[in-house]
Amino acid sequence: MKIRIRGNSIRYRLTKSEVISFCKTGSFAEKTEFSSTLFSYEIQTKKGITNLETDYANNKIIIYVPQSYTKDWATNTIVGFNNNFVTKEGKEIFILVEKDFVCMDETVEDQSDNYPNPNA
């Protein structure tokens, strides 16, 4: 799972096997181990919500996804989901969760588990 943060926006991109795992178990997580701190980011299903939500606590970013979104996401053609989430303080965070496609440009990154690029 890749994460991209820019200002008040967060984007997660998941490979095929990550989407399958997430849809089966209701969560998927990654971590980066720094010298003094562990940073992690996770995606979880959450009951009772109708749009993506997010939170940050204990060096972890979590994106919450309505359970209904994961029903056939691993097998359907829906690329992803997004929402402008408003925090308790009234700040807006744009959230995007999407399938990771093979890049059109040359890259050294292993893309064998990515979805075929529809523009290829």
Side-chain angles (χ1 to χ4, degrees), residues 2-12 39 52 54 61 63 82-85 87 91-97:
K2 296 178 194 171
I3 184 172
R4 181 176 180 185
I5 301 171
R6 183 171 184 193
N8 267 17
S9 69
I10 302 169
R11 177 174 73 183
Y12 285 1
F39 169 73
L52 300 177
T54 190
I61 297 172
I63 292 179
N82 66 74
N83 184 38
N84 286 307
F85 176 68
T87 68
K91 304 291 183 185
E92 197 169 280
I93 301 174
F94 177 73
I95 307 167
L96 175 62
V97 174

Side-chain angles (χ1 to χ4, degrees), residues 40-57:
S40 59
Y41 48 106
E42 187 171 341
I43 185 169
Q44 288 183 7
T45 57
K46 184 176 178 182
K47 292 180 182 179
I49 62 172
T50 57
N51 283 304
L52 300 177
E53 297 182 359
T54 190
D55 200 7
Y56 177 77

Side-chain angles (χ1 to χ4, degrees), residues 16-63:
K16 285 189 242 181
S17 60
E18 293 166 346
V19 170
I20 290 167
S21 177
F22 171 60
C23 290
K24 281 184 182 177
T25 66
S27 69
F28 191 83
E30 290 281 355
K31 63 183 175 184
T32 302
E33 298 179 34
F34 293 95
S35 296
S36 60
T37 300
L38 175 70
F39 169 73
S40 59
Y41 48 106
E42 187 171 341
I43 185 169
Q44 288 183 7
T45 57
K46 184 176 178 182
K47 292 180 182 179
I49 62 172
T50 57
N51 283 304
L52 300 177
E53 297 182 359
T54 190
D55 200 7
Y56 177 77
N58 302 316
N59 298 320
K60 182 192 308 186
I61 297 172
I62 301 176
I63 292 179

